[in-house]
Amino acid sequence: MNIYLIGFMGSGKSTAGRKIAAALHWHFLDLDYVAVDQQGLTIPEMFRLHGESFFRDAETKALHDISSRSKTVIACGGGTPCSETNMEIMKRTGIVVYLKMTAPALVSRLVASKNKRPLLEEAGEGGISAKVESLLNVRTPWYEQADIITDGLNIDTGEITELLAARIRDAGAFL
Ligand code: S3P
Protein backbone atom coordinates (compact mmCIF):
# COMPACT_ATOMS: atom_id res chain seq x y z
CA MET A 1 0.00 0.00 0.00
CA ASN A 2 1.12 3.55 -0.81
CA ILE A 3 -0.02 7.06 0.04
CA TYR A 4 -0.55 9.46 -2.86
CA LEU A 5 -0.53 13.18 -2.13
CA ILE A 6 -2.38 15.21 -4.73
CA GLY A 7 -3.17 18.90 -5.15
CA PHE A 8 -2.38 21.93 -7.23
CA MET A 9 1.19 23.09 -7.93
CA GLY A 10 2.45 24.87 -4.82
CA SER A 11 0.15 23.11 -2.37
CA GLY A 12 3.10 21.63 -0.46
CA LYS A 13 2.82 17.97 -1.49
CA SER A 14 6.57 17.27 -1.32
CA THR A 15 7.11 19.00 2.03
CA ALA A 16 4.10 17.28 3.63
CA GLY A 17 4.99 13.97 1.95
CA ARG A 18 8.50 13.93 3.41
CA LYS A 19 7.13 14.61 6.91
CA ILE A 20 4.41 11.96 6.68
CA ALA A 21 6.88 9.39 5.31
CA ALA A 22 9.33 10.11 8.15
CA ALA A 23 6.56 9.80 10.76
CA LEU A 24 5.32 6.47 9.34
CA HIS A 25 8.88 5.20 8.70
CA TRP A 26 7.90 4.76 5.05
CA HIS A 27 9.77 5.72 1.87
CA PHE A 28 9.18 9.00 0.06
CA LEU A 29 9.14 9.58 -3.72
CA ASP A 30 8.41 12.64 -5.84
CA LEU A 31 6.65 11.47 -9.01
CA ASP A 32 8.04 14.35 -11.10
CA TYR A 33 11.58 13.22 -10.28
CA VAL A 34 10.80 9.62 -11.23
CA ALA A 35 9.54 10.78 -14.64
CA VAL A 36 12.58 13.06 -15.10
CA ASP A 37 14.90 10.20 -14.20
CA GLN A 38 13.20 7.72 -16.53
CA GLN A 39 13.12 10.11 -19.51
CA GLY A 40 16.52 11.75 -18.97
CA LEU A 41 14.87 15.14 -19.57
CA THR A 42 13.74 17.92 -17.24
CA ILE A 43 10.03 18.75 -17.13
CA PRO A 44 10.49 22.02 -19.07
CA GLU A 45 12.49 20.05 -21.68
CA MET A 46 9.71 17.45 -22.02
CA PHE A 47 7.14 20.20 -22.58
CA ARG A 48 9.36 22.23 -24.91
CA LEU A 49 10.77 19.41 -27.03
CA HIS A 50 7.82 17.01 -27.17
CA GLY A 51 4.73 18.80 -25.85
CA GLU A 52 2.46 18.31 -22.85
CA SER A 53 1.06 14.96 -24.02
CA PHE A 54 4.57 13.47 -23.98
CA PHE A 55 4.96 14.64 -20.38
CA ARG A 56 1.53 13.20 -19.44
CA ASP A 57 2.50 9.80 -20.90
CA ALA A 58 5.82 9.91 -19.01
CA GLU A 59 3.94 10.79 -15.83
CA THR A 60 1.52 7.86 -16.26
CA LYS A 61 4.42 5.47 -16.95
CA ALA A 62 6.25 6.68 -13.81
CA LEU A 63 3.08 6.31 -11.73
CA HIS A 64 2.38 2.85 -13.10
CA ASP A 65 5.96 1.73 -12.39
CA ILE A 66 6.07 2.98 -8.80
CA SER A 67 2.56 1.85 -7.92
CA SER A 68 3.85 -1.69 -7.35
CA ARG A 69 5.98 -0.45 -4.46
CA SER A 70 4.70 -0.57 -0.91
CA LYS A 71 5.06 1.63 2.15
CA THR A 72 5.84 4.63 -0.04
CA VAL A 73 4.48 8.17 0.25
CA ILE A 74 4.33 9.65 -3.25
CA ALA A 75 4.05 13.38 -3.98
CA CYS A 76 2.25 13.54 -7.34
CA GLY A 77 2.39 16.34 -9.91
CA GLY A 78 -0.48 18.83 -9.95
CA GLY A 79 -2.00 17.24 -13.05
CA THR A 80 -1.43 13.58 -12.12
CA PRO A 81 -4.94 12.83 -10.77
CA CYS A 82 -6.70 14.44 -13.75
CA SER A 83 -6.88 11.20 -15.72
CA GLU A 84 -9.07 8.15 -15.23
CA THR A 85 -6.09 5.86 -15.78
CA ASN A 86 -3.98 7.60 -13.14
CA MET A 87 -6.82 7.87 -10.63
CA GLU A 88 -7.58 4.17 -11.03
CA ILE A 89 -3.93 3.24 -10.40
CA MET A 90 -3.79 5.38 -7.25
CA LYS A 91 -7.11 4.21 -5.81
CA ARG A 92 -6.24 0.56 -6.42
CA THR A 93 -2.80 0.72 -4.83
CA GLY A 94 -3.15 3.21 -2.01
CA ILE A 95 -4.81 6.04 -0.12
CA VAL A 96 -5.22 9.34 -1.97
CA VAL A 97 -4.89 12.57 0.05
CA TYR A 98 -5.81 15.97 -1.42
CA LEU A 99 -4.06 19.06 -0.01
CA LYS A 100 -6.75 21.62 -0.74
CA MET A 101 -5.95 25.32 -1.12
CA THR A 102 -7.76 28.34 -2.57
CA ALA A 103 -6.62 30.00 -5.81
CA PRO A 104 -5.42 33.24 -4.11
CA ALA A 105 -3.33 31.30 -1.58
CA LEU A 106 -1.82 29.21 -4.39
CA VAL A 107 -1.05 32.28 -6.49
CA SER A 108 0.89 33.95 -3.71
CA ARG A 109 3.02 30.84 -3.30
CA LEU A 110 3.49 30.29 -7.03
CA VAL A 111 4.44 33.80 -8.14
CA ALA A 112 7.99 33.32 -6.90
CA SER A 113 8.53 29.98 -8.65
CA LYS A 114 6.46 30.11 -11.83
CA ASN A 115 9.44 29.87 -14.17
CA LYS A 116 10.05 26.28 -13.13
CA ARG A 117 6.52 25.28 -14.16
CA PRO A 118 5.77 25.21 -17.87
CA LEU A 119 2.00 25.52 -17.41
CA LEU A 120 2.44 28.82 -15.57
CA GLU A 121 5.41 30.12 -17.53
CA GLU A 122 3.19 30.86 -20.51
CA ALA A 123 0.85 33.02 -18.38
CA GLY A 124 2.36 36.52 -18.15
CA GLU A 125 2.94 38.34 -14.86
CA GLY A 126 -0.72 39.46 -14.69
CA GLY A 127 -2.13 36.23 -16.15
CA ILE A 128 -1.08 33.90 -13.39
CA SER A 129 -4.20 34.42 -11.22
CA ALA A 130 -6.54 33.74 -14.13
CA LYS A 131 -4.54 30.67 -15.15
CA VAL A 132 -4.53 29.23 -11.62
CA GLU A 133 -8.26 29.88 -11.21
CA SER A 134 -9.23 28.27 -14.50
CA LEU A 135 -6.95 25.24 -14.04
CA LEU A 136 -8.16 24.80 -10.45
CA ASN A 137 -11.80 24.88 -11.61
CA VAL A 138 -11.17 22.16 -14.17
CA ARG A 139 -9.14 20.05 -11.76
CA THR A 140 -11.25 20.32 -8.61
CA PRO A 141 -13.68 17.49 -9.58
CA TRP A 142 -10.66 15.21 -9.98
CA TYR A 143 -8.95 16.33 -6.79
CA GLU A 144 -12.16 15.82 -4.80
CA GLN A 145 -12.20 12.12 -5.64
CA ALA A 146 -9.45 11.74 -3.02
CA ASP A 147 -10.06 9.47 -0.02
CA ILE A 148 -9.02 12.23 2.39
CA ILE A 149 -9.32 15.99 1.81
CA THR A 150 -7.30 18.26 4.08
CA ASP A 151 -6.41 21.95 4.38
CA GLY A 152 -3.12 22.43 2.52
CA LEU A 153 -2.48 25.91 3.89
CA ASN A 154 -2.54 24.99 7.57
CA ILE A 155 -1.68 21.36 7.22
CA ASP A 156 -1.24 19.42 10.43
CA THR A 157 0.97 16.54 9.32
CA GLY A 158 0.76 14.91 12.75
CA GLU A 159 -3.03 14.72 12.52
CA ILE A 160 -2.94 13.43 8.93
CA THR A 161 -0.36 10.82 9.86
CA GLU A 162 -2.60 9.52 12.67
CA LEU A 163 -5.58 9.34 10.34
CA LEU A 164 -3.50 7.52 7.74
CA ALA A 165 -2.06 5.10 10.29
CA ALA A 166 -5.63 4.16 11.33
CA ARG A 167 -6.71 3.63 7.71
CA ILE A 168 -3.60 1.55 7.00
CA ARG A 169 -4.34 -0.63 10.03
CA ASP A 170 -8.00 -0.98 8.98
CA ALA A 171 -6.89 -2.05 5.51
CA GLY A 172 -4.77 -4.77 7.12
CA ALA A 173 -1.52 -3.34 5.82
CA PHE A 174 1.37 -3.27 8.27
CA LEU A 175 3.03 -0.07 9.38
C1 S3P B 1 2.08 20.15 -13.30
C2 S3P B 1 2.64 20.21 -12.04
C3 S3P B 1 4.08 20.01 -11.79
C4 S3P B 1 4.69 19.14 -12.89
C5 S3P B 1 4.39 19.70 -14.24
C6 S3P B 1 2.89 19.82 -14.51
C7 S3P B 1 0.63 20.37 -13.44
O1 S3P B 1 4.25 19.38 -10.52
O2 S3P B 1 4.19 17.82 -12.79
O3 S3P B 1 5.02 20.97 -14.34
O4 S3P B 1 0.07 19.96 -14.48
O5 S3P B 1 0.01 20.93 -12.52
P1 S3P B 1 4.07 20.13 -9.11
O6 S3P B 1 2.61 20.07 -8.75
O7 S3P B 1 4.91 19.32 -8.17
O8 S3P B 1 4.57 21.51 -9.29
Side-chain angles (χ1 to χ4, degrees):
M1 168 175 282
N2 296 319
I3 292 163
Y4 297 95
L5 294 184
I6 65 167
F8 207 82
M9 294 171 262
S11 58
K13 295 166 293 216
S14 299
T15 306
R18 283 180 206 284
K19 287 187 186 162
I20 294 167
L24 290 173
H25 303 289
W26 280 24
H27 307 283
F28 171 78
L29 270 181
D30 191 315
L31 186 64
D32 281 342
Y33 287 111
V34 177
V36 164
D37 213 45
Q38 289 185 335
Q39 303 302 324
L41 293 169
T42 65
I43 292 173
E45 282 170 346
M46 285 187 235
F47 272 75
R48 196 177 63 235
L49 298 174
H50 305 294
E52 181 172 350
S53 68
F54 176 91
F55 169 71
R56 295 299 167 201
D57 289 348
E59 184 178 43
T60 297
K61 175 183 167 24
L63 179 66
H64 175 266
D65 291 352
I66 63 175
S67 66
S68 57
R69 296 178 62 117
S70 62
K71 296 187 179 179
T72 305
V73 179
I74 297 152
C76 297
T80 311
C82 310
S83 132
E84 275 175 27
T85 304
N86 294 356
M87 190 57 96
E88 188 277 324
I89 292 172
M90 293 193 285
K91 289 274 192 162
R92 180 166 41 80
T93 58
I95 304 171
V96 183
V97 182
Y98 171 29
L99 306 190
K100 185 171 181 165
M101 277 178 62
T102 63
L106 288 165
V107 170
S108 56
R109 278 205 195 164
L110 288 166
V111 163
S113 65
K114 77 182 173 72
N115 290 340
K116 285 180 247 149
R117 290 165 160 119
L119 288 178
L120 300 180
E121 209 175 8
E122 65 207 29
E125 212 35 69
I128 187 162
S129 289
K131 181 74 186 178
V132 169
E133 259 173 48
S134 72
L135 258 185
L136 187 61
N137 278 341
V138 171
R139 290 178 171 186
T140 296
W142 293 101
Y143 291 156
E144 292 194 338
Q145 291 176 39
D147 302 301
I148 296 171
I149 299 179
T150 191
D151 177 5
L153 190 58
N154 304 298
I155 185 164
D156 182 339
T157 46
E159 191 183 51
I160 291 287
T161 302
E162 273 177 35
L163 188 61
L164 286 166
R167 298 253 180 138
I168 293 160
R169 270 193 299 272
D170 289 349
F174 297 107
L175 280 176

